[in-house]
């Protein structure tokens, strides 16, 4: 993918991830650390019980991080498939005898279209992630 197109996608995705981290993940981390500290204050519990308590505290955050990672991987896979389709179109055009400038132009337009389409998917993906994060039991 051309550098300019890649930078556009990367910037939008980074903004989304930072927003999710600031508005959701960071709060979950705070609750996890407070919960873990409470586990450590339970002096009557065995070491195994304290470790189990801490694991339970970490579970919601691990679920949240897995959810975000999974959504980002699906997004990346879709974008990759789209750009691979552009590669196929460019190769077909080149194989049919088109000159390099025409092939480059097609490739740039096609990848640009992929990027635009996928950037337009980010608001709905963000909404879905936020809904799923809110549904995680604390």
């Amino acid at each position: 993918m051309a550098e300019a197109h890649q930078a556009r996608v990367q910037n939008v995705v980074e903004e989304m991830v930072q927003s999710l981290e600031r508005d959701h993940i960071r709060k979950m981390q705070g609750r996890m650390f407070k919960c873990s500290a409470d586990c450590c204050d339970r002096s009557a519990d065995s070491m195994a019980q304290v470790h189990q308590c801490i694991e339970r505290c970490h579970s919601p955050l691990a679920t949240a991080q897995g959810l975000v990672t999974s959504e980002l991987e699906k997004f990346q896979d879709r974008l990759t498939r789209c750009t691979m389709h552009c590669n196929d179109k460019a190769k077909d055009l080149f194989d049919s005898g088109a000159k390099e400038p025409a092939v480059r132009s097609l490739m740039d337009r096609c990848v640009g279209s992929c990027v635009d389409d996928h950037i337009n998917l980010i608001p709905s993906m963000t909404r879905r992630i936020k809904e799923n994060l809110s549904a995680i039991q604390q």
Side-chain angles (χ1 to χ4, degrees), residues 81-111:
R81 283 194 309 273
C82 188
T83 57
M84 291 305 295
H85 176 69
C86 294
N87 286 337
D88 291 343
K89 287 172 69 171
K91 183 184 181 316
D92 292 343
L93 183 63
F94 188 76
D95 289 347
S96 72
K99 302 284 186 222
E100 186 177 335
V103 174
R104 283 182 191 260
S105 176
L106 168 85
M107 186 69 176
D108 191 57
R109 285 191 319 274
C110 185
V111 170

PDB file of all heavy atoms in Angstrom, residues 81-111:
ATOM      1  N   ARG A  81      -7.266  -7.923   2.157  1.00  0.00           N
ATOM      2  CA  ARG A  81      -7.974  -8.574   1.047  1.00  0.00           C
ATOM      3  C   ARG A  81      -8.316  -7.575  -0.046  1.00  0.00           C
ATOM      4  O   ARG A  81      -8.202  -7.867  -1.239  1.00  0.00           O
ATOM      5  CB  ARG A  81      -9.238  -9.281   1.550  1.00  0.00           C
ATOM      6  CG  ARG A  81      -8.966 -10.592   2.253  1.00  0.00           C
ATOM      7  CD  ARG A  81     -10.216 -11.433   2.431  1.00  0.00           C
ATOM      8  NE  ARG A  81     -11.342 -10.759   3.033  1.00  0.00           N
ATOM      9  CZ  ARG A  81     -11.575 -10.651   4.330  1.00  0.00           C
ATOM     10  NH1 ARG A  81     -10.731 -11.176   5.188  1.00  0.00           N
ATOM     11  NH2 ARG A  81     -12.642 -10.026   4.775  1.00  0.00           N
ATOM     12  N   CYS A  82      -8.738  -6.393   0.351  1.00  0.00           N
ATOM     13  CA  CYS A  82      -9.087  -5.358  -0.627  1.00  0.00           C
ATOM     14  C   CYS A  82      -7.855  -4.960  -1.444  1.00  0.00           C
ATOM     15  O   CYS A  82      -7.920  -4.868  -2.670  1.00  0.00           O
ATOM     16  CB  CYS A  82      -9.686  -4.145   0.091  1.00  0.00           C
ATOM     17  SG  CYS A  82     -10.376  -2.896  -1.014  1.00  0.00           S
ATOM     18  N   THR A  83      -6.732  -4.747  -0.774  1.00  0.00           N
ATOM     19  CA  THR A  83      -5.533  -4.341  -1.507  1.00  0.00           C
ATOM     20  C   THR A  83      -4.992  -5.479  -2.365  1.00  0.00           C
ATOM     21  O   THR A  83      -4.423  -5.238  -3.433  1.00  0.00           O
ATOM     22  CB  THR A  83      -4.430  -3.813  -0.566  1.00  0.00           C
ATOM     23  OG1 THR A  83      -4.110  -4.815   0.401  1.00  0.00           O
ATOM     24  CG2 THR A  83      -4.860  -2.542   0.136  1.00  0.00           C
ATOM     25  N   MET A  84      -5.192  -6.717  -1.947  1.00  0.00           N
ATOM     26  CA  MET A  84      -4.787  -7.860  -2.780  1.00  0.00           C
ATOM     27  C   MET A  84      -5.622  -7.902  -4.057  1.00  0.00           C
ATOM     28  O   MET A  84      -5.109  -8.231  -5.129  1.00  0.00           O
ATOM     29  CB  MET A  84      -4.910  -9.176  -2.006  1.00  0.00           C
ATOM     30  CG  MET A  84      -3.905  -9.326  -0.875  1.00  0.00           C
ATOM     31  SD  MET A  84      -2.184  -9.139  -1.373  1.00  0.00           S
ATOM     32  CE  MET A  84      -2.003 -10.549  -2.433  1.00  0.00           C
ATOM     33  N   HIS A  85      -6.881  -7.549  -3.934  1.00  0.00           N
ATOM     34  CA  HIS A  85      -7.743  -7.462  -5.124  1.00  0.00           C
ATOM     35  C   HIS A  85      -7.191  -6.387  -6.071  1.00  0.00           C
ATOM     36  O   HIS A  85      -7.180  -6.583  -7.297  1.00  0.00           O
ATOM     37  CB  HIS A  85      -9.182  -7.152  -4.700  1.00  0.00           C
ATOM     38  CG  HIS A  85     -10.123  -6.946  -5.831  1.00  0.00           C
ATOM     39  ND1 HIS A  85     -10.515  -7.966  -6.668  1.00  0.00           N
ATOM     40  CD2 HIS A  85     -10.746  -5.827  -6.288  1.00  0.00           C
ATOM     41  CE1 HIS A  85     -11.335  -7.482  -7.587  1.00  0.00           C
ATOM     42  NE2 HIS A  85     -11.491  -6.191  -7.376  1.00  0.00           N
ATOM     43  N   CYS A  86      -6.730  -5.278  -5.517  1.00  0.00           N
ATOM     44  CA  CYS A  86      -6.119  -4.228  -6.347  1.00  0.00           C
ATOM     45  C   CYS A  86      -4.870  -4.757  -7.047  1.00  0.00           C
ATOM     46  O   CYS A  86      -4.646  -4.461  -8.234  1.00  0.00           O
ATOM     47  CB  CYS A  86      -5.752  -3.017  -5.488  1.00  0.00           C
ATOM     48  SG  CYS A  86      -7.161  -2.155  -4.773  1.00  0.00           S
ATOM     49  N   ASN A  87      -4.067  -5.519  -6.313  1.00  0.00           N
ATOM     50  CA  ASN A  87      -2.868  -6.113  -6.926  1.00  0.00           C
ATOM     51  C   ASN A  87      -3.250  -7.006  -8.094  1.00  0.00           C
ATOM     52  O   ASN A  87      -2.598  -6.974  -9.149  1.00  0.00           O
ATOM     53  CB  ASN A  87      -2.084  -6.937  -5.895  1.00  0.00           C
ATOM     54  CG  ASN A  87      -1.330  -6.091  -4.910  1.00  0.00           C
ATOM     55  OD1 ASN A  87      -1.014  -4.941  -5.173  1.00  0.00           O
ATOM     56  ND2 ASN A  87      -1.049  -6.656  -3.752  1.00  0.00           N
ATOM     57  N   ASP A  88      -4.301  -7.806  -7.904  1.00  0.00           N
ATOM     58  CA  ASP A  88      -4.753  -8.694  -8.984  1.00  0.00           C
ATOM     59  C   ASP A  88      -5.216  -7.896 -10.200  1.00  0.00           C
ATOM     60  O   ASP A  88      -4.885  -8.236 -11.339  1.00  0.00           O
ATOM     61  CB  ASP A  88      -5.889  -9.596  -8.493  1.00  0.00           C
ATOM     62  CG  ASP A  88      -5.424 -10.627  -7.480  1.00  0.00           C
ATOM     63  OD1 ASP A  88      -4.197 -10.877  -7.387  1.00  0.00           O
ATOM     64  OD2 ASP A  88      -6.290 -11.185  -6.774  1.00  0.00           O
ATOM     65  N   LYS A  89      -5.974  -6.825  -9.956  1.00  0.00           N
ATOM     66  CA  LYS A  89      -6.449  -5.986 -11.063  1.00  0.00           C
ATOM     67  C   LYS A  89      -5.273  -5.353 -11.804  1.00  0.00           C
ATOM     68  O   LYS A  89      -5.260  -5.295 -13.034  1.00  0.00           O
ATOM     69  CB  LYS A  89      -7.400  -4.903 -10.536  1.00  0.00           C
ATOM     70  CG  LYS A  89      -8.760  -5.422 -10.127  1.00  0.00           C
ATOM     71  CD  LYS A  89      -9.601  -4.378  -9.436  1.00  0.00           C
ATOM     72  CE  LYS A  89     -10.050  -3.289 -10.359  1.00  0.00           C
ATOM     73  NZ  LYS A  89     -11.046  -2.381  -9.725  1.00  0.00           N
ATOM     74  N   ALA A  90      -4.287  -4.877 -11.048  1.00  0.00           N
ATOM     75  CA  ALA A  90      -3.117  -4.248 -11.669  1.00  0.00           C
ATOM     76  C   ALA A  90      -2.328  -5.271 -12.491  1.00  0.00           C
ATOM     77  O   ALA A  90      -1.889  -4.973 -13.607  1.00  0.00           O
ATOM     78  CB  ALA A  90      -2.234  -3.623 -10.597  1.00  0.00           C
ATOM     79  N   LYS A  91      -2.167  -6.470 -11.948  1.00  0.00           N
ATOM     80  CA  LYS A  91      -1.442  -7.512 -12.682  1.00  0.00           C
ATOM     81  C   LYS A  91      -2.187  -7.880 -13.959  1.00  0.00           C
ATOM     82  O   LYS A  91      -1.572  -8.023 -15.025  1.00  0.00           O
ATOM     83  CB  LYS A  91      -1.262  -8.749 -11.804  1.00  0.00           C
ATOM     84  CG  LYS A  91      -0.454  -9.846 -12.479  1.00  0.00           C
ATOM     85  CD  LYS A  91      -0.377 -11.084 -11.619  1.00  0.00           C
ATOM     86  CE  LYS A  91       0.436 -12.198 -12.245  1.00  0.00           C
ATOM     87  NZ  LYS A  91       0.226 -12.462 -13.635  1.00  0.00           N
ATOM     88  N   ASP A  92      -3.501  -8.008 -13.861  1.00  0.00           N
ATOM     89  CA  ASP A  92      -4.293  -8.323 -15.056  1.00  0.00           C
ATOM     90  C   ASP A  92      -4.152  -7.233 -16.118  1.00  0.00           C
ATOM     91  O   ASP A  92      -4.015  -7.528 -17.306  1.00  0.00           O
ATOM     92  CB  ASP A  92      -5.766  -8.514 -14.690  1.00  0.00           C
ATOM     93  CG  ASP A  92      -6.012  -9.754 -13.846  1.00  0.00           C
ATOM     94  OD1 ASP A  92      -5.123 -10.639 -13.812  1.00  0.00           O
ATOM     95  OD2 ASP A  92      -7.085  -9.833 -13.224  1.00  0.00           O
ATOM     96  N   LEU A  93      -4.185  -5.977 -15.674  1.00  0.00           N
ATOM     97  CA  LEU A  93      -4.041  -4.872 -16.619  1.00  0.00           C
ATOM     98  C   LEU A  93      -2.657  -4.895 -17.259  1.00  0.00           C
ATOM     99  O   LEU A  93      -2.516  -4.713 -18.473  1.00  0.00           O
ATOM    100  CB  LEU A  93      -4.295  -3.536 -15.902  1.00  0.00           C
ATOM    101  CG  LEU A  93      -4.259  -2.283 -16.768  1.00  0.00           C
ATOM    102  CD1 LEU A  93      -5.372  -2.332 -17.832  1.00  0.00           C
ATOM    103  CD2 LEU A  93      -4.408  -1.035 -15.907  1.00  0.00           C
ATOM    104  N   PHE A  94      -1.639  -5.117 -16.450  1.00  0.00           N
ATOM    105  CA  PHE A  94      -0.269  -5.170 -16.966  1.00  0.00           C
ATOM    106  C   PHE A  94      -0.110  -6.329 -17.951  1.00  0.00           C
ATOM    107  O   PHE A  94       0.493  -6.179 -19.015  1.00  0.00           O
ATOM    108  CB  PHE A  94       0.724  -5.313 -15.799  1.00  0.00           C
ATOM    109  CG  PHE A  94       2.149  -5.178 -16.210  1.00  0.00           C
ATOM    110  CD1 PHE A  94       2.693  -3.934 -16.501  1.00  0.00           C
ATOM    111  CD2 PHE A  94       2.965  -6.292 -16.315  1.00  0.00           C
ATOM    112  CE1 PHE A  94       4.014  -3.800 -16.893  1.00  0.00           C
ATOM    113  CE2 PHE A  94       4.292  -6.181 -16.697  1.00  0.00           C
ATOM    114  CZ  PHE A  94       4.814  -4.926 -16.986  1.00  0.00           C
ATOM    115  N   ASP A  95      -0.690  -7.499 -17.598  1.00  0.00           N
ATOM    116  CA  ASP A  95      -0.598  -8.674 -18.466  1.00  0.00           C
ATOM    117  C   ASP A  95      -1.328  -8.468 -19.792  1.00  0.00           C
ATOM    118  O   ASP A  95      -1.006  -9.114 -20.792  1.00  0.00           O
ATOM    119  CB  ASP A  95      -1.147  -9.920 -17.758  1.00  0.00           C
ATOM    120  CG  ASP A  95      -0.237 -10.404 -16.642  1.00  0.00           C
ATOM    121  OD1 ASP A  95       0.921  -9.942 -16.562  1.00  0.00           O
ATOM    122  OD2 ASP A  95      -0.700 -11.235 -15.829  1.00  0.00           O
ATOM    123  N   SER A  96      -2.308  -7.575 -19.788  1.00  0.00           N
ATOM    124  CA  SER A  96      -3.044  -7.317 -21.032  1.00  0.00           C
ATOM    125  C   SER A  96      -2.307  -6.329 -21.937  1.00  0.00           C
ATOM    126  O   SER A  96      -2.794  -5.969 -23.002  1.00  0.00           O
ATOM    127  CB  SER A  96      -4.450  -6.801 -20.725  1.00  0.00           C
ATOM    128  OG  SER A  96      -4.392  -5.473 -20.239  1.00  0.00           O
ATOM    129  N   GLY A  97      -1.146  -5.876 -21.489  1.00  0.00           N
ATOM    130  CA  GLY A  97      -0.330  -5.017 -22.337  1.00  0.00           C
ATOM    131  C   GLY A  97      -0.335  -3.548 -21.967  1.00  0.00           C
ATOM    132  O   GLY A  97       0.255  -2.733 -22.673  1.00  0.00           O
ATOM    133  N   ALA A  98      -0.991  -3.187 -20.865  1.00  0.00           N
ATOM    134  CA  ALA A  98      -1.021  -1.779 -20.456  1.00  0.00           C
ATOM    135  C   ALA A  98       0.371  -1.326 -20.020  1.00  0.00           C
ATOM    136  O   ALA A  98       1.185  -2.119 -19.553  1.00  0.00           O
ATOM    137  CB  ALA A  98      -2.015  -1.589 -19.310  1.00  0.00           C
ATOM    138  N   LYS A  99       0.613  -0.056 -20.179  1.00  0.00           N
ATOM    139  CA  LYS A  99       1.897   0.523 -19.793  1.00  0.00           C
ATOM    140  C   LYS A  99       1.927   0.768 -18.284  1.00  0.00           C
ATOM    141  O   LYS A  99       0.896   0.896 -17.626  1.00  0.00           O
ATOM    142  CB  LYS A  99       2.122   1.855 -20.530  1.00  0.00           C
ATOM    143  CG  LYS A  99       2.097   1.728 -22.038  1.00  0.00           C
ATOM    144  CD  LYS A  99       3.383   1.106 -22.527  1.00  0.00           C
ATOM    145  CE  LYS A  99       3.417   1.121 -24.048  1.00  0.00           C
ATOM    146  NZ  LYS A  99       3.917  -0.087 -24.606  1.00  0.00           N
ATOM    147  N   GLU A 100       3.138   0.862 -17.764  1.00  0.00           N
ATOM    148  CA  GLU A 100       3.333   1.007 -16.321  1.00  0.00           C
ATOM    149  C   GLU A 100       2.601   2.208 -15.712  1.00  0.00           C
ATOM    150  O   GLU A 100       1.995   2.066 -14.648  1.00  0.00           O
ATOM    151  CB  GLU A 100       4.829   1.079 -15.995  1.00  0.00           C
ATOM    152  CG  GLU A 100       5.089   1.073 -14.507  1.00  0.00           C
ATOM    153  CD  GLU A 100       6.563   1.079 -14.172  1.00  0.00           C
ATOM    154  OE1 GLU A 100       7.389   0.619 -14.997  1.00  0.00           O
ATOM    155  OE2 GLU A 100       6.883   1.560 -13.082  1.00  0.00           O
ATOM    156  N   PRO A 101       2.613   3.389 -16.333  1.00  0.00           N
ATOM    157  CA  PRO A 101       1.884   4.511 -15.730  1.00  0.00           C
ATOM    158  C   PRO A 101       0.385   4.225 -15.553  1.00  0.00           C
ATOM    159  O   PRO A 101      -0.206   4.601 -14.531  1.00  0.00           O
ATOM    160  CB  PRO A 101       2.110   5.673 -16.705  1.00  0.00           C
ATOM    161  CG  PRO A 101       3.379   5.331 -17.407  1.00  0.00           C
ATOM    162  CD  PRO A 101       3.383   3.834 -17.520  1.00  0.00           C
ATOM    163  N   ALA A 102      -0.215   3.538 -16.511  1.00  0.00           N
ATOM    164  CA  ALA A 102      -1.640   3.210 -16.397  1.00  0.00           C
ATOM    165  C   ALA A 102      -1.872   2.218 -15.262  1.00  0.00           C
ATOM    166  O   ALA A 102      -2.858   2.331 -14.518  1.00  0.00           O
ATOM    167  CB  ALA A 102      -2.160   2.630 -17.711  1.00  0.00           C
ATOM    168  N   VAL A 103      -0.957   1.278 -15.127  1.00  0.00           N
ATOM    169  CA  VAL A 103      -1.077   0.280 -14.053  1.00  0.00           C
ATOM    170  C   VAL A 103      -0.904   0.948 -12.688  1.00  0.00           C
ATOM    171  O   VAL A 103      -1.668   0.687 -11.754  1.00  0.00           O
ATOM    172  CB  VAL A 103      -0.050  -0.864 -14.249  1.00  0.00           C
ATOM    173  CG1 VAL A 103      -0.074  -1.825 -13.068  1.00  0.00           C
ATOM    174  CG2 VAL A 103      -0.321  -1.608 -15.554  1.00  0.00           C
ATOM    175  N   ARG A 104       0.082   1.832 -12.579  1.00  0.00           N
ATOM    176  CA  ARG A 104       0.301   2.556 -11.317  1.00  0.00           C
ATOM    177  C   ARG A 104      -0.923   3.409 -10.961  1.00  0.00           C
ATOM    178  O   ARG A 104      -1.321   3.475  -9.805  1.00  0.00           O
ATOM    179  CB  ARG A 104       1.531   3.454 -11.419  1.00  0.00           C
ATOM    180  CG  ARG A 104       2.823   2.714 -11.320  1.00  0.00           C
ATOM    181  CD  ARG A 104       3.991   3.718 -11.373  1.00  0.00           C
ATOM    182  NE  ARG A 104       5.247   3.055 -11.543  1.00  0.00           N
ATOM    183  CZ  ARG A 104       6.092   2.805 -10.555  1.00  0.00           C
ATOM    184  NH1 ARG A 104       5.792   3.176  -9.337  1.00  0.00           N
ATOM    185  NH2 ARG A 104       7.229   2.199 -10.800  1.00  0.00           N
ATOM    186  N   SER A 105      -1.485   4.055 -11.949  1.00  0.00           N
ATOM    187  CA  SER A 105      -2.660   4.897 -11.726  1.00  0.00           C
ATOM    188  C   SER A 105      -3.836   4.060 -11.233  1.00  0.00           C
ATOM    189  O   SER A 105      -4.522   4.435 -10.274  1.00  0.00           O
ATOM    190  CB  SER A 105      -3.023   5.623 -13.017  1.00  0.00           C
ATOM    191  OG  SER A 105      -4.205   6.373 -12.844  1.00  0.00           O
ATOM    192  N   LEU A 106      -4.070   2.942 -11.888  1.00  0.00           N
ATOM    193  CA  LEU A 106      -5.143   2.035 -11.450  1.00  0.00           C
ATOM    194  C   LEU A 106      -4.908   1.573 -10.014  1.00  0.00           C
ATOM    195  O   LEU A 106      -5.822   1.598  -9.191  1.00  0.00           O
ATOM    196  CB  LEU A 106      -5.231   0.814 -12.373  1.00  0.00           C
ATOM    197  CG  LEU A 106      -6.119  -0.313 -11.833  1.00  0.00           C
ATOM    198  CD1 LEU A 106      -7.573  -0.051 -12.198  1.00  0.00           C
ATOM    199  CD2 LEU A 106      -5.665  -1.650 -12.315  1.00  0.00           C
ATOM    200  N   MET A 107      -3.682   1.189  -9.741  1.00  0.00           N
ATOM    201  CA  MET A 107      -3.341   0.687  -8.409  1.00  0.00           C
ATOM    202  C   MET A 107      -3.566   1.765  -7.353  1.00  0.00           C
ATOM    203  O   MET A 107      -4.149   1.497  -6.303  1.00  0.00           O
ATOM    204  CB  MET A 107      -1.881   0.209  -8.405  1.00  0.00           C
ATOM    205  CG  MET A 107      -1.445  -0.449  -7.152  1.00  0.00           C
ATOM    206  SD  MET A 107      -2.250  -2.040  -6.958  1.00  0.00           S
ATOM    207  CE  MET A 107      -1.455  -2.594  -5.470  1.00  0.00           C
ATOM    208  N   ASP A 108      -3.138   2.971  -7.635  1.00  0.00           N
ATOM    209  CA  ASP A 108      -3.297   4.064  -6.669  1.00  0.00           C
ATOM    210  C   ASP A 108      -4.775   4.367  -6.424  1.00  0.00           C
ATOM    211  O   ASP A 108      -5.186   4.552  -5.275  1.00  0.00           O
ATOM    212  CB  ASP A 108      -2.553   5.307  -7.159  1.00  0.00           C
ATOM    213  CG  ASP A 108      -2.483   6.358  -6.065  1.00  0.00           C
ATOM    214  OD1 ASP A 108      -1.958   6.048  -4.976  1.00  0.00           O
ATOM    215  OD2 ASP A 108      -2.976   7.482  -6.302  1.00  0.00           O
ATOM    216  N   ARG A 109      -5.559   4.417  -7.481  1.00  0.00           N
ATOM    217  CA  ARG A 109      -7.000   4.679  -7.328  1.00  0.00           C
ATOM    218  C   ARG A 109      -7.685   3.554  -6.559  1.00  0.00           C
ATOM    219  O   ARG A 109      -8.510   3.793  -5.682  1.00  0.00           O
ATOM    220  CB  ARG A 109      -7.673   4.854  -8.693  1.00  0.00           C
ATOM    221  CG  ARG A 109      -7.404   6.176  -9.367  1.00  0.00           C
ATOM    222  CD  ARG A 109      -8.316   6.407 -10.581  1.00  0.00           C
ATOM    223  NE  ARG A 109      -8.529   5.236 -11.427  1.00  0.00           N
ATOM    224  CZ  ARG A 109      -7.726   4.856 -12.425  1.00  0.00           C
ATOM    225  NH1 ARG A 109      -6.647   5.583 -12.698  1.00  0.00           N
ATOM    226  NH2 ARG A 109      -7.992   3.791 -13.150  1.00  0.00           N
ATOM    227  N   CYS A 110      -7.320   2.334  -6.884  1.00  0.00           N
ATOM    228  CA  CYS A 110      -7.946   1.177  -6.254  1.00  0.00           C
ATOM    229  C   CYS A 110      -7.604   1.131  -4.757  1.00  0.00           C
ATOM    230  O   CYS A 110      -8.487   0.968  -3.917  1.00  0.00           O
ATOM    231  CB  CYS A 110      -7.490  -0.106  -6.957  1.00  0.00           C
ATOM    232  SG  CYS A 110      -8.291  -1.597  -6.370  1.00  0.00           S
ATOM    233  N   VAL A 111      -6.324   1.279  -4.433  1.00  0.00           N
ATOM    234  CA  VAL A 111      -5.913   1.258  -3.025  1.00  0.00           C
ATOM    235  C   VAL A 111      -6.526   2.444  -2.283  1.00  0.00           C
ATOM    236  O   VAL A 111      -6.979   2.310  -1.147  1.00  0.00           O
ATOM    237  CB  VAL A 111      -4.374   1.226  -2.895  1.00  0.00           C
ATOM    238  CG1 VAL A 111      -3.939   1.448  -1.454  1.00  0.00           C
ATOM    239  CG2 VAL A 111      -3.823  -0.091  -3.417  1.00  0.00           C
TER     240      VAL A 111
END
